[in-house]
Amino acid sequence: MFTTEQKLKERIKELTCLYEVTSLIVNCDYDDMETALLGIVQCLERAWQFDTDTYVQLSTPEYHIKTKEKGEDYVFLESAITAFNKPKGVIKVGYPSPQYKLKDFLEEEQQLLDNVCLKVGNLLERKEIKEKEEQIRRQVEQSDRLRILGEITAGIAHELNTPLANILGFTELLQERIGDDAQALKDLDKIMTNAIFSREVVKKLMFFACEMPETREVINVVEVVQEAITMLRTTLRQRQVACTFEHSKDTVELRIDKIQLTQVVFNLVMNAIYFSPPQSTISVLLESDTDKVVLSIADEGPGIPKEAIPHIFDPFFTTKPVGEGSGLGLSVVHGIVQSHQGSIEVAQNTPTGTIFTLQFPKK
């Protein structure tokens, strides 16, 4: 039997524990959750009747925290951690066995443990809400940035089209007039090549700005993907890279702009070729179900650095050396996919490389 003084002492320990746990949760840094949970575990250890023999475990899918072990076998009190009415983990408080039995725990200790688990569950809920809010904020910022850049690039594209056409036209006239001057003809060829390259950049800008007219019709996606890969056979052979194409059906129909879909496949496979080492394989997979078409393109290259992944669809961002990429290819792909109400995701391949996965809804 407990004396009144002993009972009061135990209630003070329990209230102190609840106060400390509440303080830890209120001041918790969501980026350093482990420190807060460790503090909660230590509070529980001090709150139990036989605190010098108390052992505490806190387990969730992301964290596994425990105090110093006091034995090999234990008798435990435990309570579940729930967040959004779903189980997220458990907290166990134990005494060494067979020195202690379940009857050595106090009824109030189970209530305390249940209350702490409820508070930890609320903490996990708030962390998840904050992460979702941050994700939505980034998506809104990305959409605003792309919208503004779309307006800017549309203007740039229109302004550049006329002078580029003039450069190409007058260069062709000069080639006809110069005649046999080999060096001059060689220089004019360089002008033509660079002007054509610039015109292609302008086309990509117009794709990105959604200024290119669309003609959507029901097409067989299998044929479009095969044609795009065929156009790159010479490049594949020169780089000593293989490309396989697997499809669940010979006919996969989708209402989409054929030219834009070709642009998407061409850009993604070209990127894969650029980063693929010799003797490696690019795998293209096309799957179809009742409501969507899924296209994935996987390479065996070095992969995309983790810090670059959030920016790969940003206009003018490139991981290629200066002069080897305009930084518009993936922006164009992203814009085309979004204009068709689709989605595009990037993930690491196993053991090395990158996988781009595109989904287009069937309409």
Side-chain angles (χ1 to χ4, degrees), residues 136-154:
I136 292 170
R137 184 187 64 78
R138 286 197 301 267
Q139 289 174 347
V140 170
E141 287 179 353
Q142 174 77 352
S143 297
D144 286 344
R145 188 160 60 246
L146 292 176
R147 177 183 59 79
I148 293 168
L149 282 169
E151 294 173 0
I152 294 171
T153 53

PDB file of all heavy atoms in Angstrom, residues 136-154:
ATOM      1  N   ILE A 136       2.665  21.994 -51.303  1.00  0.00           N
ATOM      2  CA  ILE A 136       1.717  22.793 -52.083  1.00  0.00           C
ATOM      3  C   ILE A 136       2.303  24.160 -52.394  1.00  0.00           C
ATOM      4  O   ILE A 136       2.158  24.679 -53.507  1.00  0.00           O
ATOM      5  CB  ILE A 136       0.378  22.927 -51.317  1.00  0.00           C
ATOM      6  CG1 ILE A 136      -0.322  21.566 -51.240  1.00  0.00           C
ATOM      7  CG2 ILE A 136      -0.534  23.954 -51.977  1.00  0.00           C
ATOM      8  CD1 ILE A 136      -1.510  21.536 -50.319  1.00  0.00           C
ATOM      9  N   ARG A 137       2.989  24.761 -51.404  1.00  0.00           N
ATOM     10  CA  ARG A 137       3.605  26.075 -51.625  1.00  0.00           C
ATOM     11  C   ARG A 137       4.634  26.015 -52.754  1.00  0.00           C
ATOM     12  O   ARG A 137       4.669  26.889 -53.623  1.00  0.00           O
ATOM     13  CB  ARG A 137       4.272  26.561 -50.332  1.00  0.00           C
ATOM     14  CG  ARG A 137       4.852  27.978 -50.432  1.00  0.00           C
ATOM     15  CD  ARG A 137       5.646  28.338 -49.181  1.00  0.00           C
ATOM     16  NE  ARG A 137       6.805  27.491 -49.018  1.00  0.00           N
ATOM     17  CZ  ARG A 137       7.948  27.638 -49.706  1.00  0.00           C
ATOM     18  NH1 ARG A 137       8.053  28.607 -50.602  1.00  0.00           N
ATOM     19  NH2 ARG A 137       8.968  26.839 -49.495  1.00  0.00           N
ATOM     20  N   ARG A 138       5.457  24.948 -52.738  1.00  0.00           N
ATOM     21  CA  ARG A 138       6.460  24.810 -53.804  1.00  0.00           C
ATOM     22  C   ARG A 138       5.793  24.626 -55.167  1.00  0.00           C
ATOM     23  O   ARG A 138       6.269  25.172 -56.169  1.00  0.00           O
ATOM     24  CB  ARG A 138       7.375  23.621 -53.506  1.00  0.00           C
ATOM     25  CG  ARG A 138       8.372  23.881 -52.378  1.00  0.00           C
ATOM     26  CD  ARG A 138       9.506  22.858 -52.400  1.00  0.00           C
ATOM     27  NE  ARG A 138       9.006  21.491 -52.255  1.00  0.00           N
ATOM     28  CZ  ARG A 138       8.897  20.860 -51.107  1.00  0.00           C
ATOM     29  NH1 ARG A 138       9.249  21.476 -49.979  1.00  0.00           N
ATOM     30  NH2 ARG A 138       8.459  19.617 -51.053  1.00  0.00           N
ATOM     31  N   GLN A 139       4.706  23.865 -55.196  1.00  0.00           N
ATOM     32  CA  GLN A 139       4.002  23.656 -56.467  1.00  0.00           C
ATOM     33  C   GLN A 139       3.422  24.958 -56.998  1.00  0.00           C
ATOM     34  O   GLN A 139       3.484  25.232 -58.202  1.00  0.00           O
ATOM     35  CB  GLN A 139       2.898  22.616 -56.282  1.00  0.00           C
ATOM     36  CG  GLN A 139       3.418  21.194 -56.079  1.00  0.00           C
ATOM     37  CD  GLN A 139       2.309  20.210 -55.749  1.00  0.00           C
ATOM     38  OE1 GLN A 139       1.188  20.598 -55.437  1.00  0.00           O
ATOM     39  NE2 GLN A 139       2.623  18.931 -55.813  1.00  0.00           N
ATOM     40  N   VAL A 140       2.849  25.772 -56.073  1.00  0.00           N
ATOM     41  CA  VAL A 140       2.283  27.059 -56.490  1.00  0.00           C
ATOM     42  C   VAL A 140       3.390  27.978 -56.995  1.00  0.00           C
ATOM     43  O   VAL A 140       3.240  28.649 -58.030  1.00  0.00           O
ATOM     44  CB  VAL A 140       1.528  27.709 -55.312  1.00  0.00           C
ATOM     45  CG1 VAL A 140       1.149  29.148 -55.641  1.00  0.00           C
ATOM     46  CG2 VAL A 140       0.286  26.900 -54.972  1.00  0.00           C
ATOM     47  N   GLU A 141       4.507  28.022 -56.289  1.00  0.00           N
ATOM     48  CA  GLU A 141       5.629  28.852 -56.715  1.00  0.00           C
ATOM     49  C   GLU A 141       6.143  28.411 -58.076  1.00  0.00           C
ATOM     50  O   GLU A 141       6.456  29.240 -58.943  1.00  0.00           O
ATOM     51  CB  GLU A 141       6.753  28.790 -55.681  1.00  0.00           C
ATOM     52  CG  GLU A 141       6.450  29.547 -54.397  1.00  0.00           C
ATOM     53  CD  GLU A 141       7.581  29.428 -53.392  1.00  0.00           C
ATOM     54  OE1 GLU A 141       8.525  28.644 -53.644  1.00  0.00           O
ATOM     55  OE2 GLU A 141       7.534  30.122 -52.352  1.00  0.00           O
ATOM     56  N   GLN A 142       6.229  27.077 -58.269  1.00  0.00           N
ATOM     57  CA  GLN A 142       6.695  26.556 -59.550  1.00  0.00           C
ATOM     58  C   GLN A 142       5.734  26.947 -60.664  1.00  0.00           C
ATOM     59  O   GLN A 142       6.149  27.362 -61.751  1.00  0.00           O
ATOM     60  CB  GLN A 142       6.819  25.026 -59.466  1.00  0.00           C
ATOM     61  CG  GLN A 142       7.167  24.339 -60.783  1.00  0.00           C
ATOM     62  CD  GLN A 142       8.631  24.469 -61.151  1.00  0.00           C
ATOM     63  OE1 GLN A 142       9.362  25.195 -60.491  1.00  0.00           O
ATOM     64  NE2 GLN A 142       9.042  23.781 -62.184  1.00  0.00           N
ATOM     65  N   SER A 143       4.431  26.837 -60.406  1.00  0.00           N
ATOM     66  CA  SER A 143       3.433  27.188 -61.425  1.00  0.00           C
ATOM     67  C   SER A 143       3.514  28.669 -61.764  1.00  0.00           C
ATOM     68  O   SER A 143       3.452  29.045 -62.941  1.00  0.00           O
ATOM     69  CB  SER A 143       2.030  26.833 -60.928  1.00  0.00           C
ATOM     70  OG  SER A 143       1.901  25.447 -60.726  1.00  0.00           O
ATOM     71  N   ASP A 144       3.651  29.519 -60.729  1.00  0.00           N
ATOM     72  CA  ASP A 144       3.761  30.959 -60.982  1.00  0.00           C
ATOM     73  C   ASP A 144       5.019  31.283 -61.774  1.00  0.00           C
ATOM     74  O   ASP A 144       4.991  32.102 -62.712  1.00  0.00           O
ATOM     75  CB  ASP A 144       3.792  31.728 -59.651  1.00  0.00           C
ATOM     76  CG  ASP A 144       2.423  31.779 -58.987  1.00  0.00           C
ATOM     77  OD1 ASP A 144       1.429  31.501 -59.685  1.00  0.00           O
ATOM     78  OD2 ASP A 144       2.356  32.081 -57.781  1.00  0.00           O
ATOM     79  N   ARG A 145       6.118  30.624 -61.409  1.00  0.00           N
ATOM     80  CA  ARG A 145       7.383  30.877 -62.099  1.00  0.00           C
ATOM     81  C   ARG A 145       7.287  30.458 -63.567  1.00  0.00           C
ATOM     82  O   ARG A 145       7.725  31.180 -64.469  1.00  0.00           O
ATOM     83  CB  ARG A 145       8.508  30.117 -61.394  1.00  0.00           C
ATOM     84  CG  ARG A 145       9.892  30.453 -61.897  1.00  0.00           C
ATOM     85  CD  ARG A 145      10.964  30.080 -60.894  1.00  0.00           C
ATOM     86  NE  ARG A 145      10.968  28.664 -60.592  1.00  0.00           N
ATOM     87  CZ  ARG A 145      10.674  28.152 -59.414  1.00  0.00           C
ATOM     88  NH1 ARG A 145      10.348  28.946 -58.408  1.00  0.00           N
ATOM     89  NH2 ARG A 145      10.705  26.849 -59.202  1.00  0.00           N
ATOM     90  N   LEU A 146       6.676  29.286 -63.793  1.00  0.00           N
ATOM     91  CA  LEU A 146       6.532  28.811 -65.170  1.00  0.00           C
ATOM     92  C   LEU A 146       5.588  29.715 -65.973  1.00  0.00           C
ATOM     93  O   LEU A 146       5.816  29.957 -67.161  1.00  0.00           O
ATOM     94  CB  LEU A 146       6.017  27.371 -65.175  1.00  0.00           C
ATOM     95  CG  LEU A 146       6.988  26.314 -64.643  1.00  0.00           C
ATOM     96  CD1 LEU A 146       6.306  24.952 -64.611  1.00  0.00           C
ATOM     97  CD2 LEU A 146       8.251  26.251 -65.494  1.00  0.00           C
ATOM     98  N   ARG A 147       4.523  30.212 -65.320  1.00  0.00           N
ATOM     99  CA  ARG A 147       3.589  31.096 -66.030  1.00  0.00           C
ATOM    100  C   ARG A 147       4.285  32.393 -66.452  1.00  0.00           C
ATOM    101  O   ARG A 147       4.151  32.837 -67.599  1.00  0.00           O
ATOM    102  CB  ARG A 147       2.394  31.422 -65.124  1.00  0.00           C
ATOM    103  CG  ARG A 147       1.398  32.391 -65.751  1.00  0.00           C
ATOM    104  CD  ARG A 147       0.286  32.725 -64.777  1.00  0.00           C
ATOM    105  NE  ARG A 147       0.799  33.310 -63.554  1.00  0.00           N
ATOM    106  CZ  ARG A 147       1.165  34.573 -63.429  1.00  0.00           C
ATOM    107  NH1 ARG A 147       1.104  35.397 -64.475  1.00  0.00           N
ATOM    108  NH2 ARG A 147       1.606  35.038 -62.273  1.00  0.00           N
ATOM    109  N   ILE A 148       5.042  32.986 -65.523  1.00  0.00           N
ATOM    110  CA  ILE A 148       5.740  34.233 -65.841  1.00  0.00           C
ATOM    111  C   ILE A 148       6.784  34.006 -66.928  1.00  0.00           C
ATOM    112  O   ILE A 148       6.895  34.781 -67.885  1.00  0.00           O
ATOM    113  CB  ILE A 148       6.401  34.810 -64.564  1.00  0.00           C
ATOM    114  CG1 ILE A 148       5.319  35.246 -63.575  1.00  0.00           C
ATOM    115  CG2 ILE A 148       7.300  35.985 -64.897  1.00  0.00           C
ATOM    116  CD1 ILE A 148       5.846  35.544 -62.182  1.00  0.00           C
ATOM    117  N   LEU A 149       7.556  32.913 -66.771  1.00  0.00           N
ATOM    118  CA  LEU A 149       8.567  32.614 -67.786  1.00  0.00           C
ATOM    119  C   LEU A 149       7.923  32.311 -69.129  1.00  0.00           C
ATOM    120  O   LEU A 149       8.479  32.624 -70.185  1.00  0.00           O
ATOM    121  CB  LEU A 149       9.421  31.432 -67.328  1.00  0.00           C
ATOM    122  CG  LEU A 149      10.495  31.767 -66.287  1.00  0.00           C
ATOM    123  CD1 LEU A 149      11.090  30.506 -65.706  1.00  0.00           C
ATOM    124  CD2 LEU A 149      11.586  32.618 -66.916  1.00  0.00           C
ATOM    125  N   GLY A 150       6.736  31.694 -69.092  1.00  0.00           N
ATOM    126  CA  GLY A 150       6.028  31.424 -70.343  1.00  0.00           C
ATOM    127  C   GLY A 150       5.699  32.706 -71.079  1.00  0.00           C
ATOM    128  O   GLY A 150       5.872  32.805 -72.304  1.00  0.00           O
ATOM    129  N   GLU A 151       5.230  33.722 -70.340  1.00  0.00           N
ATOM    130  CA  GLU A 151       4.912  34.999 -70.965  1.00  0.00           C
ATOM    131  C   GLU A 151       6.171  35.668 -71.524  1.00  0.00           C
ATOM    132  O   GLU A 151       6.167  36.218 -72.623  1.00  0.00           O
ATOM    133  CB  GLU A 151       4.247  35.917 -69.935  1.00  0.00           C
ATOM    134  CG  GLU A 151       2.877  35.407 -69.466  1.00  0.00           C
ATOM    135  CD  GLU A 151       2.314  36.226 -68.324  1.00  0.00           C
ATOM    136  OE1 GLU A 151       2.999  37.190 -67.898  1.00  0.00           O
ATOM    137  OE2 GLU A 151       1.201  35.911 -67.855  1.00  0.00           O
ATOM    138  N   ILE A 152       7.260  35.602 -70.733  1.00  0.00           N
ATOM    139  CA  ILE A 152       8.510  36.229 -71.188  1.00  0.00           C
ATOM    140  C   ILE A 152       9.052  35.533 -72.425  1.00  0.00           C
ATOM    141  O   ILE A 152       9.424  36.178 -73.420  1.00  0.00           O
ATOM    142  CB  ILE A 152       9.555  36.200 -70.056  1.00  0.00           C
ATOM    143  CG1 ILE A 152       9.096  37.087 -68.887  1.00  0.00           C
ATOM    144  CG2 ILE A 152      10.919  36.665 -70.564  1.00  0.00           C
ATOM    145  CD1 ILE A 152       9.954  36.947 -67.644  1.00  0.00           C
ATOM    146  N   THR A 153       9.091  34.185 -72.367  1.00  0.00           N
ATOM    147  CA  THR A 153       9.689  33.448 -73.490  1.00  0.00           C
ATOM    148  C   THR A 153       8.853  33.551 -74.751  1.00  0.00           C
ATOM    149  O   THR A 153       9.391  33.508 -75.856  1.00  0.00           O
ATOM    150  CB  THR A 153       9.880  31.973 -73.115  1.00  0.00           C
ATOM    151  OG1 THR A 153       8.639  31.438 -72.640  1.00  0.00           O
ATOM    152  CG2 THR A 153      10.934  31.797 -72.051  1.00  0.00           C
ATOM    153  N   ALA A 154       7.542  33.690 -74.600  1.00  0.00           N
ATOM    154  CA  ALA A 154       6.697  33.874 -75.790  1.00  0.00           C
ATOM    155  C   ALA A 154       7.100  35.158 -76.513  1.00  0.00           C
ATOM    156  O   ALA A 154       7.238  35.186 -77.744  1.00  0.00           O
ATOM    157  CB  ALA A 154       5.229  33.922 -75.385  1.00  0.00           C
TER     158      ALA A 154
END
